[in-house]
Amino acid sequence: MLLEYLQTNYMTVLLIITMGIIMLVYKDYDIPVSSMVPIAIVLVLIGSVSYFISDWCSAYTYAHQGEDISNYVLVRRIASVTNYVSQPLSMMFQLYLIIPKEKHNLYLALPAIFNTVVYLIAPFTGKLIFRITDKGVWERGPLGYTVFIVSMFYAVAMLVASLHYFRDKNRKKALIILTIFLLIVTAGVLEYTNLMGGMVDEIGILIILLYYVYLITIYQEELRETLAEQELRIAEARLSILQEQIRPHFIFNSLGIIRSLVKHDQKQAIATIDSFSDYLRVHVWAMKNNEVVPFEAELVHVKSILTLVQSDYTKKVEVTYDLKETGFRLPPLTLEPLVENAIKYGLDKNGGEIQITTERIERENDVPEIVIRVIDSGRGKGDITEKEQHRLGVGLDNTRTRLKLQCDATLTVTTGETGAVAEIRMPLTQNTTL
């Protein structure tokens, strides 16, 4: 019997296998309403098997008239009930695939539930719904057409959804739904008129496959749009932070320091020019690139800034490093704003101390985490004006955005009475590991 089923329903089986392979390939993708797809496929498969069993029993009873065929009549009756219950239920889930998830409700399921109840009581209602005589003759009653009416209800619902999407100018989705509607109508007409029976299952799987492929396409388009939006936000944040950081007064102050050093300490002046050149070069590079960079490269850039600050004899800035972990990457110009804020808001007029630390934290059942801290021993929140606090927040928001988008990292700043701690916590993923 299995071989006969495969021979007569090979197209249904091939479509189910194809659907299964596609779902397996995209199992890790968050395809919308994809949980509905396996249910719809199982219902179509149940309908296909029950239709085959019913047809097989019909052929057997016809060929063995005069013999005891009561068991085959009973099996055919059960298979027929199963077939006519599964078809509308499958269409209901196909409709749920198509319409937005927020519009899924019990009202759309009522016709399928009604049809299910009708056919479940069919064996006990005589000729009201359908019956199979002792001789194996099929007789449909007045309520036996509910399966076609309910199926057409779901077909019309799909057409309404199609018109809705046309009205909203979502023509691609409307075209898919319109195609599904035409397939359903075609299958229903052929089945109802007995011109070509047994096509409902193949068309059902084809509909699911068609729409699932469409959902994959839409998912990939949305994914590309999301990535493009993230890249745009990163680019905007990077440009904004560059505009925030390359400040004319910083450049003028650096040039003033260099000019003063040229007169008194040419060796130090050359070193300061090199640091200033490194500062400008990194910023120009960051304008053109968006890749994460090794922490040590970012640290070299920060040290060039600190060299410029320390070259100013009016401030005595002591910098200490406690770097327990350096083998990771982070967005360019991430550490710089934290150090600059420590210099600008964390030191008093005579200078102060800045400490930069890194460590790796192992987390149970999760990826390790890198923690970067920039600690100053300066003025603290009591001496920072409201205007300075606002500038501090705006300047760090761009860094926080880039860290979140590029590394899923967080940035927090804790200001105490005698200093501040800026802390980055970053998962050590493939993107951030050297």
Side-chain angles (χ1 to χ4, degrees):
M1 182 181 288
L2 178 60
L3 183 60
E4 288 182 45
Y5 172 78
L6 294 175
Q7 288 175 337
T8 55
N9 295 273
Y10 67 92
M11 185 58 69
T12 301
V13 174
L14 288 177
L15 286 171
I16 289 176
I17 293 174
T18 302
M19 189 75 229
I21 292 173
I22 293 175
M23 291 186 65
L24 183 63
V25 171
Y26 288 92
K27 64 182 178 63
D28 296 329
Y29 288 66
D30 188 19
I31 307 297
V33 296
S34 57
S35 59
M36 299 285 183
V37 174
I39 301 174
I41 291 176
V42 169
L43 287 170
V44 171
L45 183 59
I46 291 173
S48 172
V49 172
S50 58
Y51 181 88
F52 169 77
I53 293 174
S54 176
D55 196 47
W56 187 87
C57 290
S58 175
Y60 182 90
T61 55
Y62 179 79
H64 293 79
Q65 292 293 325
E67 302 178 16
D68 183 11
I69 57 173
S70 58
N71 289 335
Y72 294 93
V73 170
L74 177 61
V75 171
R76 185 184 177 191
R77 186 178 293 119
I78 295 172
S80 297
V81 169
T82 305
N83 181 40
Y84 285 118
V85 166
S86 62
Q87 284 185 17
L89 284 173
S90 174
M91 291 186 66
M92 178 192 74
F93 280 101
Q94 291 170 30
L95 180 63
Y96 280 160
L97 274 173
I98 290 170
I99 63 175
K101 190 173 183 179
E102 60 270 13
K103 294 186 179 180
H104 294 181
N105 53 57
L106 181 62
Y107 298 112
L108 291 175
L110 286 178
I113 294 173
F114 173 74
N115 179 79
T116 299
V117 173
V118 166
Y119 275 92
L120 286 177
I121 65 174
F124 314 103
T125 58
K127 294 179 60 177
L128 181 62
I129 302 167
F130 79 88
R131 74 170 183 171
I132 303 173
T133 66
D134 294 338
K135 294 183 178 181
V137 178
W138 171 278
E139 295 179 353
R140 190 186 300 275
L143 281 182
Y145 295 95
T146 57
V147 63
F148 301 109
I149 296 171
V150 171
S151 297
M152 288 305 299
F153 165 81
Y154 287 117
V156 171
M158 292 181 192
L159 179 61
V160 170
S162 176
L163 295 174
H164 170 76
Y165 290 122
F166 264 123
R167 184 188 65 190
D168 292 344
K169 298 182 180 180
N170 192 340
R171 299 186 182 276
K172 288 190 295 184
K173 189 166 188 175
L175 184 60
I176 293 291
I177 299 174
L178 186 59
T179 302
I180 291 173
F181 169 76
L182 293 175
L183 286 172
I184 292 172
V185 171
T186 301
V189 170
L190 293 176
E191 189 80 13
Y192 180 73
T193 59
N194 293 319
L195 291 175
M196 189 182 296
M199 296 297 294
V200 172
D201 302 321
E202 287 86 346
I203 291 178
I205 292 293
L206 183 61
I207 288 170
I208 298 170
L209 177 61
L210 177 67
Y211 199 73
Y212 191 74
V213 171
Y214 170 76
L215 289 176
I216 292 171
T217 304
I218 291 299
Y219 173 81
Q220 291 176 334
E221 287 182 359
E222 291 178 350
L223 187 62
R224 285 193 294 268
E225 290 175 359
T226 300
L227 290 174
E229 183 180 347
Q230 285 187 347
E231 289 176 358
L232 178 61
R233 290 174 63 190
I234 291 171
E236 290 175 345
R238 188 172 69 250
L239 178 60
S240 180
I241 200 168
L242 289 172
Q243 291 173 339
E244 180 72 19
Q245 288 179 328
I246 303 182
R247 305 179 184 93
H249 78 268
F250 182 83
I251 295 176
F252 294 150
N253 288 346
S254 299
L255 292 174
I257 293 170
I258 294 170
R259 182 175 181 276
S260 176
L261 288 172
V262 168
K263 295 180 179 179
H264 305 97
D265 190 342
Q266 293 186 2
K267 184 177 180 180
Q268 182 63 31
I270 293 173
T272 306
I273 290 172
D274 290 339
S275 297
F276 185 61
S277 176
D278 291 338
Y279 168 83
L280 293 177
R281 183 171 60 252
V282 170
H283 280 77
V284 171
W285 179 89
M287 288 180 181
K288 301 177 181 178
N289 297 276
N290 193 35
E291 299 89 356
V292 290
V293 298
F295 170 75
E296 290 185 342
E298 180 74 0
L299 188 62
V300 168
H301 174 60
V302 166
K303 286 181 177 179
S304 69
I305 296 171
L306 290 170
T307 299
L308 289 171
V309 174
Q310 289 172 323
S311 298
D312 184 359
Y313 291 118
T314 62
K315 287 187 178 181
K316 184 179 179 181
V317 181
E318 182 181 351
V319 184
T320 59
Y321 302 92
D322 183 14
L323 308 177
K324 295 184 175 67
E325 182 70 33
T326 58
F328 60 92
R329 298 176 183 270
L330 73 171
L333 307 182
T334 299
L335 195 58
E336 177 186 343
L338 309 186
V339 173
E340 285 198 344
N341 280 317
I343 294 169
K344 186 171 182 180
Y345 302 113
L347 305 179
D348 58 29
K349 60 182 180 179
N350 297 319
E353 181 182 349
I354 295 174
Q355 184 180 13
I356 299 174
T357 71
T358 63
E359 64 176 315
R360 173 181 174 137
I361 298 177
E362 299 293 339
R363 297 189 293 177
E364 187 176 356
N365 300 324
D366 207 346
V367 297
E369 190 175 61
I370 295 294
V371 180
I372 310 167
R373 296 186 182 92
V374 178
I375 307 166
D376 68 69
S377 59
R379 293 181 288 168
K381 63 182 179 182
D383 294 327
I384 298 179
T385 66
E386 184 177 343
K387 185 176 181 180
E388 286 177 333
Q389 287 179 344
H390 174 72
R391 288 179 180 175
L392 177 62
V394 172
L396 294 179
D397 278 345
N398 292 322
T399 305
R400 185 176 289 109
T401 299
R402 292 196 303 133
L403 282 166
K404 180 64 178 176
L405 290 174
Q406 290 184 264
C407 303
D408 195 27
T410 61
L411 168 61
T412 58
V413 179
T414 305
T415 306
E417 296 298 331
T418 58
V421 178
E423 180 179 273
I424 296 173
R425 287 185 172 266
M426 181 172 63
L428 197 58
T429 61
Q430 185 177 1
N431 181 47
T432 56
T433 305
L434 283 177

